[in-house]
Amino acid sequence: MRAALAPGVRLLRALPRDSRYRGLTLVLTFLSYASYHLSRKPISIVKSQLHPNCSALGPNPHNDSNSTTWCSWVPFDGDNYKELFGALDNAFLVAYAIGMFISGIFGERLPLRYYLSGGMVLSGLFTALFGLGYFWDIHVLWYFIVVQVCNGLVQTTGWPAVVACVGNWFGKGKRGLIMGIWNSHTSVGNILGSLIAGAWVSSAWGLSFVVPGIIITVVGIICFFFLVEYPEDVDCNPPLHHMAADEDPGGVTTSEKDPEAVISNEGPLSLSGQSSVDHSKSSKEPAEEPEAISFLGALRIPGVVEFSLCLLFAKLVSYTFLYWLPLYIVNVAHFGAKEAGDLSTLFDVGGILGGIFAGLISDYTGGRATTCCVMLVVAAPMLFLYNHVGQNGIGISVAMLIICGALVNGPYALITTAVSADLGTHESLKGNAKALSTVTAIIDGTGSIGAALGPLLAGLISPTGWNNVFYMLIAADVLACLLLARVVVKEARGWCGPMARQRG
């Protein structure tokens, strides 16, 4: 007797063809970028093990004169270990920032599937090589620096590729909410990276890098076999990136309509069978391949410069927490390395909630810049409170980490996803979709300069006290907010216009 068709298969068959492929694209790109962040997180967990408190481990078994650093990993056993950790972070992040500007240009001109999967395999290789330094007993700083630089360069393949893929499949309607949920891959990757690295940090810290390296390689191979770059490649309908609605200066539509409801010709999503069929036919007609946009051309898109500079300071704050939060918890709250790593994941839990909240609010209001600005304004005093009262109890610490994570990562998530996709398909491009990777790379590349500066400054400032590190983070949040002032004013004027007409 033949069994009934599996419930999951029946559900897939009930979904429209376009929806199935959109779901596949979201899942694969989600897993891809989660694995990128999973492979970046171990360094922040392992820092406390490279230079632990040796006196807490008992007497020196080697009986040397240096009894305070006998358990540290050379060359991180000196008093300048914080500066060396900052150099490791900076090697990765500077290479990432420089490579990002180049990566977007290649991303527009190479098959995204090859570019993404190849970059993931190389990222896995260099992540594992860092951990193999433990098993090969390597104690020279240049080895770890070179591996970090190479890893930073190859990891730039990820973000422009995944945003371009998602942007190719999804129009503007509910892009903020969809990409806000989708962008939780960053926090999910950080959480998994913390937990995986924490499992081996106290026993064999090399595995904290080798295992994530294997994971990102496997996911890269899966993407090579299953990722679909364009809807037209599988006879699906491309999304509508522009509608009959007012366009704000940041490239964000104020319409509440969902473009996917207009473009689908299957199921309940279709509003007009005739218009859907016409659109389907027109999408299949051969057309001349548009030329990829130039770097300067992308900079001239309204809103690109403002959001790029805002992200520089927003990402500075986010990446300082990414690389230094576990060590801060160890030093201030006096937790062990594993416990600090586990507690730091709450910041990323807050980041998931903040990204979803920012996307939902910006979809509803049509104000991407205003949403970012409000969250940045509130984040500044919350960072001050976390530094002063966040370690007064485990309950307060948990609550403050989640709140700070939401406020810090919410604007960062919104700018790197929905805003980048909006600007990469801006109406000034007149339908040219060959700008997504370049615009995304410019915005994220500029933000990555801040990501490089943040951990470096934290390494230089932390010896003077953690208070000064938090003052630096608060100042960065305020600057990020101010840089969006012009776009916020124009969004407000856009809202006031219809209200004035209604009163008239």
Side-chain angles (χ1 to χ4, degrees):
M1 180 178 178
R2 181 175 295 180
L5 196 62
V9 176
R10 290 202 301 270
L11 176 62
L12 289 175
R13 290 181 63 181
L15 291 173
R17 176 184 176 85
D18 287 15
S19 298
R20 290 199 297 269
Y21 278 103
R22 285 195 197 103
L24 176 65
T25 301
L26 281 179
V27 170
L28 288 178
T29 52
F30 182 96
L31 293 175
S32 295
Y33 214 70
S35 64
Y36 272 101
H37 266 262
L38 181 148
S39 67
R40 296 177 195 174
K41 186 64 177 178
I43 185 67
S44 66
I45 305 299
V46 171
K47 280 177 182 175
S48 58
Q49 191 63 25
L50 295 177
H51 191 99
N53 181 7
C54 298
S55 59
L57 301 178
N60 181 0
H62 307 295
N63 295 322
D64 344 56
S65 57
N66 188 353
S67 60
T68 58
T69 61
W70 61 267
C71 62
S72 300
W73 187 269
V74 179
F76 306 104
D77 58 338
D79 293 335
N80 64 337
Y81 70 99
K82 288 185 179 180
E83 287 82 356
L84 296 184
F85 288 157
L88 280 181
D89 298 339
N90 213 48
F92 176 92
L93 293 168
V94 168
Y96 185 88
I98 294 172
M100 183 60 75
F101 292 106
I102 304 170
S103 182
I105 298 172
F106 282 113
E108 301 289 10
R109 292 159 175 82
L110 296 174
L112 289 175
R113 181 167 60 91
Y114 296 164
Y115 195 54
L116 178 62
S117 57
M120 294 177 73
V121 171
L122 289 174
S123 297
L125 171 65
F126 289 115
T127 301
L129 282 175
F130 195 103
L132 289 173
Y134 170 83
F135 298 102
W136 294 342
D137 203 28
I138 295 176
H139 295 278
V140 288
L141 181 64
W142 69 262
Y143 172 84
F144 299 105
I145 294 289
V146 169
V147 169
Q148 285 287 81
V149 169
C150 294
N151 203 9
L153 289 173
V154 297
Q155 289 231 349
T156 60
T157 58
W159 191 240
V162 296
V163 172
C165 283
V166 174
N168 289 336
W169 280 93
F170 290 88
K172 275 192 176 179
K174 294 180 181 177
R175 182 181 276 166
L177 175 59
I178 291 171
M179 298 191 84
I181 298 172
W182 172 78
N183 191 65
S184 62
H185 52 49
T186 299
S187 297
V188 169
N190 289 340
I191 292 170
L192 292 176
S194 297
L195 296 177
I196 292 171
W200 288 286
V201 64
S202 300
S203 55
W205 62 259
L207 289 175
S208 297
F209 293 90
V210 173
V211 174
I214 294 172
I215 292 173
I216 189 174
T217 300
V218 171
V219 176
I221 294 171
I222 293 173
C223 283
F224 177 81
F225 283 104
F226 294 101
L227 184 64
V228 180
E229 300 174 28
Y230 299 99
E232 299 90 334
D233 293 343
V234 287
D235 297 324
C236 290
N237 295 315
L240 294 178
H241 294 294
H242 307 289
M243 304 173 63
D246 294 332
E247 192 84 17
D248 72 21
V252 183
T253 182
T254 57
S255 172
E256 295 297 326
K257 296 179 182 179
D258 182 1
E260 270 71 51
V262 180
I263 65 172
S264 178
N265 62 355
E266 301 182 57
L269 294 176
S270 178
L271 295 180
S272 171
Q274 182 63 38
S275 62
S276 296
V277 172
D278 291 343
H279 181 80
S280 176
K281 288 180 180 179
S282 63
S283 67
K284 305 298 188 297
E285 292 177 359
E288 184 180 351
E289 184 74 11
E291 292 185 3
I293 194 172
S294 67
F295 186 88
L296 292 177
L299 283 177
R300 286 194 290 267
I301 297 173
V304 168
V305 172
E306 289 90 342
F307 279 108
S308 297
L309 294 176
C310 172
L311 185 63
L312 187 152
F313 291 102
K315 205 167 180 179
L316 182 153
V317 179
S318 180
Y319 267 65
T320 301
F321 273 94
L322 174 67
Y323 281 90
W324 286 90
L325 181 58
L327 187 62
Y328 169 78
I329 295 174
V330 169
N331 289 349
V332 176
H334 306 295
F335 283 101
K338 185 179 185 307
E339 291 77 9
D342 292 343
L343 190 61
S344 70
T345 62
L346 294 171
F347 185 83
D348 295 298
V349 171
I352 295 174
L353 300 176
I356 296 172
F357 179 78
L360 181 63
I361 295 300
S362 67
D363 276 344
Y364 180 76
T365 62
R368 308 279 201 224
T370 305
T371 302
C372 292
C373 199
V374 170
M375 296 184 77
L376 289 167
V377 167
V378 179
M382 294 307 298
L383 291 176
F384 180 85
L385 287 175
Y386 172 67
N387 182 46
H388 284 81
V389 303
Q391 309 302 328
N392 288 351
I394 188 65
I396 295 176
S397 182
V398 168
M400 293 295 294
L401 280 171
I402 293 175
I403 294 171
C404 289
L407 294 171
V408 167
N409 285 338
Y412 162 36
L414 185 62
I415 294 172
T416 54
T417 54
V419 170
S420 296
D422 289 348
L423 296 176
T425 54
H426 194 270
E427 62 176 2
S428 64
L429 298 170
K430 298 178 181 179
N432 183 0
K434 286 286 189 176
L436 265 172
S437 288
T438 302
V439 169
T440 301
I442 289 173
I443 292 176
D444 199 50
T446 306
S448 297
I449 296 173
L453 287 174
L456 175 64
L457 291 174
L460 296 174
I461 296 174
S462 57
T464 68
W466 287 105
N467 286 345
N468 294 330
V469 174
F470 274 85
Y471 293 147
M472 180 264 291
L473 298 179
I474 292 169
D477 255 335
V478 173
L479 286 172
C481 180
L482 292 176
L483 286 165
L484 284 182
R486 188 181 72 86
V487 185
V488 171
V489 169
K490 291 192 175 182
E491 284 181 352
R493 288 175 179 171
W495 293 328
C496 292
M499 293 173 61
R501 287 194 295 269
Q502 288 177 359
R503 288 195 300 267

